[in-house]
Amino acid sequence: LLQVWVKMADALYSVPFSILEVPNLKLRRPGWFKQPPAMVVFGFVLLSYFLVTGGIIYDVIVEPPSVGSVTDDQGHQKPQAFMPYRINGQYIMEGLASSFLFCLGGLGFVVLDRSNFPNVPRLNRILQFCFAFATILISFFMCRVFMTMKIPGYLQGY
């Protein structure tokens, strides 16, 4: 049965190449182009992760305010960082704060992974373990606090 599928796929993929001819190009990599260092690539990936999880696409499309405001009992306007009772809406600062916590937790896992390298001294390994667990736990519990601020009564059992 698998051989039949392979023959069908081969026949299907050979049709365009029986009509078209692939050009014989001898492309070279430019001499000035070098492979970027691994940490530069990691920095770009982390920056894009920060922007995407912060809701940059939502912010561009919807154009929400950076922070909201709520009127207190005396009639004064107070700033409000979280848009309450709207799970699919956010202020810009709310998205950036949540994104920072996601990146903080992710960096904790990166440090936890790097602490397992064989040439790391014992004291540095212990410090990296402590730092990694602290950032992961801070990120987790602060995200829960943010969700409780966003949806009062979240995970309270009532």
Side-chain angles (χ1 to χ4, degrees):
L1 184 66
L2 181 63
Q3 291 176 351
V4 173
W5 283 103
V6 169
K7 287 181 184 179
M8 286 177 47
D10 189 36
L12 184 67
Y13 287 134
S14 65
V15 171
F17 294 106
S18 65
I19 300 169
L20 301 172
E21 183 179 337
V22 179
N24 188 13
L25 296 176
K26 298 197 187 303
L27 296 175
R28 290 186 309 126
R29 183 172 42 101
W32 52 267
F33 184 75
K34 304 286 186 218
Q35 182 178 3
M39 290 310 288
V40 171
V41 174
F42 175 73
F44 282 127
V45 168
L46 188 66
L47 178 68
S48 65
Y49 178 71
F50 177 82
L51 292 175
V52 169
T53 58
I56 190 74
I57 298 167
Y58 171 83
D59 293 342
V60 167
I61 293 172
V62 177
E63 296 178 2
S66 59
V67 292
S69 61
V70 64
T71 306
D72 63 2
D73 296 336
Q74 287 81 25
H76 302 317
Q77 294 286 328
K78 287 183 164 182
Q80 183 179 28
F82 291 89
M83 190 179 291
Y85 303 107
R86 291 222 21 227
I87 195 68
N88 60 348
Q90 71 177 19
Y91 296 127
I92 293 174
M93 291 303 293
E94 175 184 354
L96 293 178
S98 299
S99 180
F100 171 74
L101 289 176
F102 296 155
C103 288
L104 185 69
L107 285 176
F109 283 109
V110 169
V111 171
L112 188 63
D113 178 57
R114 293 189 61 91
S115 67
N116 286 322
F117 285 177
N119 59 353
V120 176
R122 180 172 161 74
L123 178 63
N124 289 359
R125 186 181 310 267
I126 292 171
L127 290 175
Q128 286 177 343
F129 277 142
C130 293
F131 178 78
F133 285 123
T135 56
I136 292 168
L137 290 176
I138 288 170
S139 173
F140 175 74
F141 286 113
M142 285 304 296
C143 284
R144 282 189 58 150
V145 168
F146 282 6
M147 280 303 293
T148 304
M149 292 167 66
K150 184 117 176 121
I151 304 170
Y154 179 70
L155 292 178
Q156 300 297 322
Y158 53 87

